[in-house]
Amino acid sequence: KLDPFNPLAYVPTTDFSKYEIARGNQFLDKTEGQQRMLICNGLVRSKQSQLGDLSVCIETLAKEFPERVFICTSKFESTLPNIHFTDDIFGITNDVNEIVYLSTHSDIIVGKNSGPYMYTHIQDNFFSPETTFVSLSHRPSDAYPCHLQWEGCRYLHHSSDDEQRITDILREAIKNPGQSPGQMEGV
């Protein structure tokens, strides 16, 4: 029975057997043993961030960390072999649940509190000490765990629209995984 006074009791689960994940599993097999960063880089529609598609940031980090897999939800021009797009992985355009499936196999999940990023807030990720969320929006209160403490993921929030600063924050998240889990940190 759910505790109506505990917001953490409402973190959902997803039954992935209902979705087309076979191609996702092929991708996961192909990238086995590599760390994966899921970046929900689509444009926002509610003005919670002025960041664009983060392509410059992603390209910079993909060059710095060639052994890491960067999975992006919105396409941009890139020839780097470690940048992948969910449209290509799944071969479908309405792939939010499939993106969430990939998130459960990613150590870092990045987003602007919009679109697929919000759906990645499931028990498999949220209560995992091996997972780091990086939330990018103007207000910390846009993030689900604002003002909460829990056992599980590391949750970072940053409110800047400066893409160089975002690059620095993501670089630090890659270099220093799993610090201070269970509360939202501003960076």
Side-chain angles (χ1 to χ4, degrees), residues 72-157:
C72 304
T73 60
S74 184
K75 281 191 173 184
F76 57 86
E77 272 305 310
S78 179
T79 58
L80 294 176
N82 59 334
I83 295 178
H84 305 273
F85 301 98
T86 56
D87 285 359
D88 297 333
I89 294 168
F90 292 107
I92 56 177
T93 53
N94 296 318
D95 57 357
V96 71
N97 290 298
E98 291 78 6
I99 290 168
V100 174
Y101 177 69
L102 288 179
S103 79
T104 66
H105 297 276
S106 301
D107 64 316
I108 301 174
I109 304 166
V110 180
K112 304 174 212 162
N113 291 321
S114 183
Y117 176 74
M118 299 312 284
Y119 289 89
T120 66
H121 290 70
I122 62 173
Q123 288 183 19
D124 290 347
N125 295 329
F126 197 75
F127 296 116
S128 169
E130 289 84 35
T131 301
T132 297
F133 280 92
V134 182
S135 168
L136 307 171
S137 69
H138 294 145
R139 299 178 309 204
S141 60
D142 289 339
Y144 284 155
C146 186
H147 307 297
L148 297 176
Q149 291 190 353
W150 65 95
E151 295 293 324
C153 71
R154 177 181 185 205
Y155 205 100
L156 306 173
H157 178 267

Side-chain angles (χ1 to χ4, degrees), residues 38-55 58 71-76 85-87 95 99 110-118 136-137 161 163:
L38 174 68
I39 305 170
C40 301
N41 63 316
L43 300 177
V44 298
R45 306 222 187 327
S46 300
K47 298 184 181 178
Q48 67 271 35
S49 172
Q50 298 300 315
L51 292 166
D53 66 6
L54 299 172
S55 59
I58 296 164
I71 306 165
C72 304
T73 60
S74 184
K75 281 191 173 184
F76 57 86
F85 301 98
T86 56
D87 285 359
D95 57 357
I99 290 168
V110 180
K112 304 174 212 162
N113 291 321
S114 183
Y117 176 74
M118 299 312 284
L136 307 171
S137 69
D161 288 327
E163 199 159 334

